[in-house]
């Protein structure tokens, strides 16, 4: 499943967006996909995770996404973690850690809070090398131009 999120991240890079991709899965089927598009959408909330959550909610015709897994190529930020909590995502799988903005285990540990009304389990490191390299190469190319 992370491979599909990685393909979406590569698509984001091809349209000059930060290369992050995400999918939401229920019963081993993709029900929502998204890639970073805040620049092209003029929308600061158009992160890959938010776009995938929106698509999944439309697919299920429900804002609650219980018993689903979100796969994303970079550790989610605080906004995206909040959205996942509100959507009731069951499990999160992310590839690369984000030492500057990650809200799962790098900068913040939001999913480990004991006062939350919902719990999301998580796993990190799936395709981390490939996803990290894609991000590094994208930003290096920006600095050269």
């Amino acid at each position: 499943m992370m491979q599909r999120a990685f393909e979406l991240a590569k698509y984001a890079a091809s349209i000059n967006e930060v290369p992050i991709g995400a999918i939401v899965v229920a019963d081993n089927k993709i029900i929502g996909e998204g890639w970073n598009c805040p620049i092209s959408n003029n929308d600061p909330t158009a992160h890959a995770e938010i776009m995938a959550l929106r698509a999944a909610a439309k697919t299920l015709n429900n804002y609650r996404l219980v018993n689903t897994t979100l796969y994303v190529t970079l550790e989610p930020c605080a906004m995206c973690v909040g959205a996942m909590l509100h959507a009731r995502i069951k499990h999160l799988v992310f590839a690369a850690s984000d030492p500057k903005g990650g809200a799962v285990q790098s900068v913040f540990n939001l999913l480990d809070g004991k006062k939350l009304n919902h719990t999301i389990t998580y796993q990190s490191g799936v395709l981390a090398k490939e996803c990290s390299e894609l991000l590094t190469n994208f930003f290096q190319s920006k600095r050269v131009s």
Side-chain angles (χ1 to χ4, degrees):
M1 294 295 181
M2 187 62 78
Q3 187 62 45
R4 178 62 185 152
F6 183 59
E7 290 168 12
L8 294 169
K10 290 191 284 188
Y11 174 74
S14 78
I15 60 170
N16 216 25
E17 295 277 2
V18 175
I20 302 169
I23 62 169
V24 178
V25 174
D27 298 322
N28 289 320
K29 291 173 57 177
I30 297 172
I31 60 168
E33 296 185 334
W35 54 88
N36 255 27
C37 54
I39 298 166
S40 55
N41 285 6
N42 294 312
D43 179 356
T45 69
H47 289 194
E49 300 94 322
I50 301 294
M51 304 309 288
L53 291 171
R54 288 175 181 165
K58 283 187 181 183
T59 298
L60 296 181
N61 198 31
N62 193 334
Y63 74 108
R64 297 290 197 210
L65 304 175
V66 296
N67 296 318
T68 60
T69 299
L70 187 139
Y71 293 81
V72 62
T73 57
L74 183 67
E75 180 181 358
C77 70
M79 175 184 68
C80 292
V81 168
M84 289 185 293
L85 287 165
H86 284 290
R88 303 299 193 259
I89 294 292
K90 182 177 184 177
H91 188 66
L92 165 68
V93 180
F94 65 92
S97 294
D98 183 357
K100 294 183 179 180
V104 177
Q105 63 185 20
S106 295
V107 177
F108 302 107
N109 303 88
L110 296 181
L111 293 181
D112 295 332
K114 302 298 181 223
K115 294 183 178 182
L116 297 173
N117 65 344
H118 178 69
T119 302
I120 299 175
T121 58
Y122 61 89
Q123 173 185 357
S124 64
V126 177
L127 284 183
K129 182 177 184 258
E130 296 88 334
C131 295
S132 292
E133 286 175 356
L134 180 64
L135 283 158
T136 298
N137 293 339
F138 176 82
F139 286 114
Q140 281 178 344
S141 74
K142 293 294 178 198
R143 285 189 288 276
V144 170
S145 343

